[in-house]
């Protein structure tokens, strides 16, 4: 019989939040694959549990190489426990490759539910939580980051991001540019830890606050785009794109910005621009 892969959620701050099953799995697993073995050691000491199985590292740098080894152990009947530094494996952490490989081999995959920075931040944000989407980490390069944000500027669902503290001010400033400085957001810092802080306000205000420097683990929650009541015909959409282009924006960026402002899919604005361009070509000169 094949073994079982267990994905275990670990505390995002306070070790008292560890689910009771985590200690049981740590003690009984044949192999514990940990993102950081030193942090695992501190966790097991806090939980007063001694793993009996083999402990191996499993992080971004060795995921690809170590996955076949762990799958082989699973095929052989081992119970493999996967833990990351904080939260649930696979969610912006190592795990996806191993889960996909295990599923391909018809190996049972189960989970020990645990703390989640995404859900904790959502609950504390004060923003709508009935519909949301998780965007993970944004690109580090400024141009790519702004482009990614413009892609979702018209998204109606609440958005959740992870960010490094030293990039927070630039990210919030880019969000204010892409979404509008008045868009509501919450910066959740050091969740469940001693210096937990949730700062709520408009993006422009939060960007100014972050410019002074922020420390700790950061989760950013941003309000979704407001419902647009203004109805714009194709001609007006094209005109707004042209205005932005004349101001120096590239067409792709202008289309994304107009779509976000109008609460429309980018494709709809793109199609309007293409149709107008084709019509201009077919129109007789001087007409």
């Amino acid at each position: 019989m094949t073994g079982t892969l267990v994905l275990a959620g670990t505390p995002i701050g306070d070790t008292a939040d560890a689910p009771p099953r985590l200690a049981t799995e740590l003690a009984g697993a044949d192999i514990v694959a940990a993102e950081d073995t030193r942090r695992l050691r501190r966790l097991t000491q806090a939980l007063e549990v001694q793993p009996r199985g083999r402990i191996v590292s499993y992080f971004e740098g060795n995921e690809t190489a170590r996955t076949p080894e762990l799958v082989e152990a699973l095929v052989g009947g081992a119970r493999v426990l996967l833990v990351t530094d904080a939260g649930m494996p696979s969610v912006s952490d190592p795990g996806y490759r191993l889960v996909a490989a295990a599923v391909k081999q018809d190996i049972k995959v189960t989970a020990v539910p645990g703390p989640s920075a995404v859900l904790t931040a959502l609950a504390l944000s004060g923003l709508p939580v009935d519909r949301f989407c998780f965007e993970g980490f944004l690109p580090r390069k400024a141009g790519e980051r702004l482009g990614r944000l413009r892609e979702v500027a018209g998204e109606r669902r609440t958005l959740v991001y992870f960010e490094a503290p030293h990039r927070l001010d630039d990210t919030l400033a880019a969000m204010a540019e892409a979404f509008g400085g008045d868009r509501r957001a919450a910066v959740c810092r050091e969740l469940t830890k001693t210096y937990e802080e949730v700062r709520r306000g408009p993006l422009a205000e939060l960007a100014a606050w972050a410019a002074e420097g922020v420390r700790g683990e950061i989760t950013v929650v941003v309000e979704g785009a407001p419902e647009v009541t203004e109805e714009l015909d194709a001609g007006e959409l094209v005109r707004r794109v042209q205005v932005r282009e004349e101001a120096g924006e590239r067409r792709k960026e202008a289309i994304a910005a107009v779509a976000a402002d109008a609460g429309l899919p980018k494709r709809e604005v793109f199609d309007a621009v293409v149709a107008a361009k084709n019509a201009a070509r077919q129109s007789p000169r001087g007409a």
Side-chain angles (χ1 to χ4, degrees):
M1 293 179 63
T2 58
T4 300
L5 172 61
V6 183
L7 309 178
T10 55
I12 58 176
D14 191 340
T15 55
D17 293 333
R21 270 186 61 204
L22 176 59
T24 302
E25 292 289 351
L26 283 167
D30 298 304
I31 300 174
V32 179
E35 184 177 9
D36 186 326
T37 56
R38 292 166 299 182
R39 294 188 68 161
L40 173 64
R41 190 176 302 113
R42 291 196 291 271
L43 177 62
T44 56
Q45 290 173 348
L47 298 180
E48 298 181 345
V49 60
Q50 179 62 51
R52 68 171 178 81
R54 181 164 59 98
I55 296 175
V56 299
S57 63
Y58 190 77
F59 59 99
E60 185 178 1
N62 73 353
E63 249 189 302
T64 301
R66 180 139 284 170
T67 293
E69 172 190 330
L70 293 176
V71 171
E72 182 179 354
L74 287 162
V75 170
R79 190 173 186 85
V80 176
L81 178 68
L82 177 61
V83 294
T84 55
D85 292 346
M88 181 61 66
S90 290
V91 182
S92 280
D93 274 330
Y96 166 74
R97 289 184 178 87
L98 182 55
V99 173
V103 169
K104 190 174 182 179
Q105 294 288 335
D106 290 326
I107 294 167
K108 180 181 178 181
V109 181
T110 188
V112 176
S116 165
V118 175
L119 298 181
T120 302
L122 271 169
L124 296 178
S125 70
L127 297 172
V129 298
D130 54 330
R131 298 174 67 230
F132 69 91
C133 55
F134 175 58
E135 289 288 309
F137 284 96
L138 286 163
R140 297 183 180 184
K141 294 183 178 179
E144 294 178 7
R145 179 171 57 230
L146 184 58
R148 182 77 61 80
L149 289 170
R150 281 175 170 162
E151 288 178 1
V152 297
E155 173 60 63
R156 303 288 176 80
R157 294 171 295 179
T158 299
L159 300 160
V160 184
Y161 295 89
F162 287 159
E163 190 51 278
H166 62 278
R167 290 195 297 270
L168 180 63
D169 56 340
D170 289 336
T171 291
L172 290 171
M175 287 178 172
E177 180 178 347
F179 302 155
D182 293 334
R183 183 84 70 90
R184 292 188 301 163
V187 176
C188 303
R189 187 179 72 85
E190 294 290 87
L191 290 172
T192 77
K193 298 178 183 177
T194 303
Y195 298 104
E196 176 180 284
E197 178 184 17
V198 179
R199 177 75 61 138
R200 306 174 184 86
L203 280 168
E205 180 182 302
L206 291 174
W209 162 74
E212 300 176 3
V214 179
R215 295 182 179 181
E217 302 273 343
I218 305 292
T219 304
V220 181
V221 185
V222 184
E223 182 181 32
E227 185 174 353
V228 178
T229 56
E230 181 184 15
E231 292 187 7
L232 304 175
D233 60 23
E236 177 61 16
L237 294 174
V238 172
R239 188 193 70 79
R240 294 189 180 191
V241 171
Q242 290 173 340
V243 168
R244 286 180 171 273
E245 285 188 284
E246 290 169 0
E249 282 191 26
R250 291 184 299 175
R251 177 165 295 178
K252 181 179 179 181
E253 295 173 346
I255 288 173
V258 170
D261 290 342
L264 296 171
K266 286 190 297 181
R267 187 72 196 183
E268 186 171 334
V269 181
F270 174 80
D271 288 345
V273 171
V274 171
K277 188 175 180 181
N278 290 339
R281 286 176 178 173
Q282 296 170 7
S283 176
R285 290 188 178 181

